[in-house]
Amino acid sequence: MASHELGGLNEDIRAWAADSGRDRAALLPLLQKLQGKYHQIPPHAMQLIAEQLDIHPVEVYGVVSFYSFLDHAPKGRYVIRLCRTISCDMAGKDRLARQLENDLGVKFGQTTPDGKFTLEWANCLGMCDQGPAMLVNDKVYSSVTPEKVHEIIEEYRKKFGVYAVESMEGH
């Protein structure tokens, strides 16, 4: 994380903690806001959150490392998660995985060099009757085909047009 972003991150954490009442119950919502805005939860942020909520930093790290949607490593602006349950596997998940890797030029667990897309596996998206399913940030896609994968990725790439201004806010 660049040093110029740390000032904003510190201000955001203090403001969010003040709004939430600075108690232990605010931990997960605070972490979700941080992940949504900065696409990662760096160690510095975990320390500051612990101070703001008056809890031990290990508790913050424990929550970050437990939930797969939270991560201390930087992720792309768009996180694509492909369901790998047996029902999605039987519905053609492997073809989608190859299409995603080919279209993005990265393997699962990696982020594109431009930082726009991260490719991950999901253990279940709850769409077993409509598989294969994938999730792009908070949006679910069901009955996905390799052709649809290409269309979906192009849809998100268009959001980064030549003159597009990327916002650090939410997804």
Side-chain angles (χ1 to χ4, degrees):
M1 174 168 276
S3 61
H4 69 277
E5 293 176 307
L6 286 178
L9 180 133
N10 293 345
E11 290 175 25
D12 284 340
I13 290 173
R14 287 186 180 102
W16 294 333
D19 290 344
S20 66
R22 297 184 194 277
D23 64 15
R24 186 179 303 272
L27 178 57
L28 194 54
L30 250 171
L31 293 171
Q32 290 172 319
K33 286 180 183 178
L34 191 63
Q35 183 76 47
K37 183 169 182 176
Y38 293 97
H39 312 291
Q40 66 177 317
I41 301 171
H44 166 78
M46 288 189 241
Q47 181 69 39
L48 186 56
I49 288 171
E51 290 171 13
Q52 293 295 310
L53 301 182
D54 196 26
I55 59 177
H56 198 281
V58 169
E59 293 180 65
V60 179
Y61 177 78
V63 172
V64 171
S65 62
F66 179 78
Y67 289 102
S68 64
F69 283 55
L70 301 174
D71 204 326
H72 56 81
K75 290 188 177 185
R77 173 98 164 88
Y78 295 104
V79 178
I80 299 172
R81 293 179 172 94
L82 180 61
C83 182
R84 64 176 170 187
T85 58
I86 188 147
S87 58
C88 284
D89 193 29
M90 293 173 65
K93 173 247 336 163
D94 288 340
R95 291 183 3 190
L96 299 185
R98 281 194 302 277
Q99 185 70 44
L100 283 164
E101 290 177 338
N102 287 337
D103 280 2
L104 296 174
V106 294
K107 300 286 184 193
F108 278 80
Q110 297 180 333
T111 299
T112 56
D114 61 7
K116 293 179 180 169
F117 296 96
T118 296
L119 198 51
E120 295 184 341
W121 292 111
N123 288 324
C124 185
L125 297 178
M127 303 297 290
C128 297
D129 61 329
Q130 300 173 48
M134 65 182 226
L135 188 67
V136 181
N137 290 351
D138 296 331
K139 187 172 182 180
V140 176
Y141 294 89
S142 60
S143 304
V144 181
T145 63
E147 295 78 22
K148 282 185 179 178
V149 163
H150 184 72
E151 292 171 14
I152 292 166
I153 290 176
E154 287 307 310
E155 172 189 328
Y156 285 97
R157 280 189 172 137
K158 287 179 184 172
K159 294 180 179 185
F160 294 111
V162 176
Y163 301 108
V165 176
E166 295 179 39
S167 169
M168 292 296 290
E169 294 291 329
H171 296 263

